[in-house]
Amino acid sequence: MILHNIYVDIGLGSSYVDNPIYREFYEINSKFYKIKIWNEEMLNDLIKKYPKYLSIYTNFTHKFYKIDFMRPLILHSEGGFYMDMDNYLTKKLDIEKDYCIGRYKNEINNDLIYFKDRDIYLKLADFYLQRSTTCRMPSNWTVRRLQYICGQKSFKMFCKSKEIELPLDVPYKFNYTSAWLDAFKKKRY
């Protein structure tokens, strides 16, 4: 099984391989899975295989949207599971379950995504597409728009609509984005 990550330069300027948190991630996770890291060029190539979503993808105002939006399309296309680069597994995923999703505190999170039924990924992409057409927020509300259209809150809404329950435990350890940026000696965006 492949563990998918996405690394798109959002202006931090440093490569993920320079980050000690990523090096720890890779060392631990590569024991369990083959790791595939998607860059912006790979994402741009993949979206061409899904012309229905090309317009929304090309019109996103920030790369964060693209990163969150492409997760289900990557998984539909190639299988495997997605996990953020600042997380690492504490045990192998139980792929006999119907799904394995992230949990942060007491909420569903999109930093870990796996569905046994790969058709669910297209349903998720359709959900994001629908939300992009109904979003009435001003374009300068970048973070709120991201959360509404295809971010963690939107993923949570999709899971609830499909009666996907909050996992009792998660097989990974996560780091806060601020820890990832601190490791690069960068300021929060």
Side-chain angles (χ1 to χ4, degrees):
M1 181 178 284
I2 299 174
L3 186 168
H4 297 277
N5 299 128
I6 300 173
Y7 181 80
V8 174
D9 184 4
I10 56 170
L12 298 179
S14 297
S15 167
Y16 59 88
V17 295
D18 297 331
N19 189 306
I21 291 173
Y22 175 75
R23 287 195 303 269
E24 181 181 17
F25 158 93
Y26 187 84
E27 183 180 315
I28 293 169
N29 291 325
S30 63
K31 294 176 187 175
F32 298 118
Y33 300 103
K34 178 183 175 187
I35 298 172
K36 183 171 183 177
I37 301 170
W38 292 75
N39 61 33
E40 194 166 8
E41 182 180 337
M42 294 162 73
L43 297 177
N44 291 340
D45 288 343
L46 179 62
I47 194 65
K48 293 172 188 168
K49 296 178 182 177
Y50 295 93
K52 175 180 182 178
Y53 308 110
L54 187 58
S55 179
I56 182 177
Y57 178 81
T58 56
N59 288 314
F60 280 139
T61 58
H62 200 283
K63 292 178 183 182
F64 283 122
Y65 289 97
K66 292 180 178 185
I67 293 167
D68 281 358
F69 185 80
M70 290 303 292
R71 293 172 187 182
L73 297 181
I74 288 169
L75 296 171
H76 178 263
S77 175
E78 300 210 357
F81 69 101
Y82 171 85
M83 189 167 65
D84 282 353
M85 293 179 97
D86 52 354
N87 301 333
Y88 59 86
L89 296 167
T90 55
K91 61 183 177 183
K92 286 184 86 169
L93 288 185
D94 183 355
I95 59 171
E96 297 305 314
K97 292 182 178 180
D98 290 336
Y99 61 87
C100 185
I101 56 175
R103 173 188 178 134
Y104 175 68
K105 296 184 180 179
N106 283 327
E107 292 194 11
I108 289 172
N109 197 329
N110 66 347
D111 59 356
L112 173 67
I113 305 172
Y114 167 77
F115 293 105
K116 186 184 279 189
D117 177 2
R118 285 170 55 179
D119 290 337
I120 291 177
Y121 298 123
L122 286 184
K123 292 175 184 174
L124 177 56
D126 285 341
F127 184 79
Y128 291 162
L129 180 62
Q130 182 271 328
R131 288 177 70 86
S132 75
T133 61
T134 61
C135 184
R136 303 280 185 248
M137 292 176 206
S139 60
N140 62 341
W141 291 14
T142 308
V143 175
R144 286 187 183 174
R145 284 183 64 86
L146 169 67
Q147 291 297 324
Y148 180 85
I149 294 172
C150 58
Q152 181 266 331
K153 290 182 181 183
S154 184
F155 181 72
K156 182 173 89 173
M157 295 286 291
F158 173 80
C159 289
K160 285 187 177 187
S161 76
K162 300 296 181 193
E163 298 182 358
I164 296 167
E165 297 178 5
L166 181 68
L168 297 176
D169 67 336
V170 290
Y172 68 97
K173 181 178 183 287
F174 63 90
N175 291 290
Y176 295 101
T177 301
S178 58
W180 174 264
L181 296 175
D182 288 347
F184 272 137
K185 308 281 190 266
K186 299 288 181 178
K187 294 179 183 177
R188 278 194 89 153
Y189 48 88

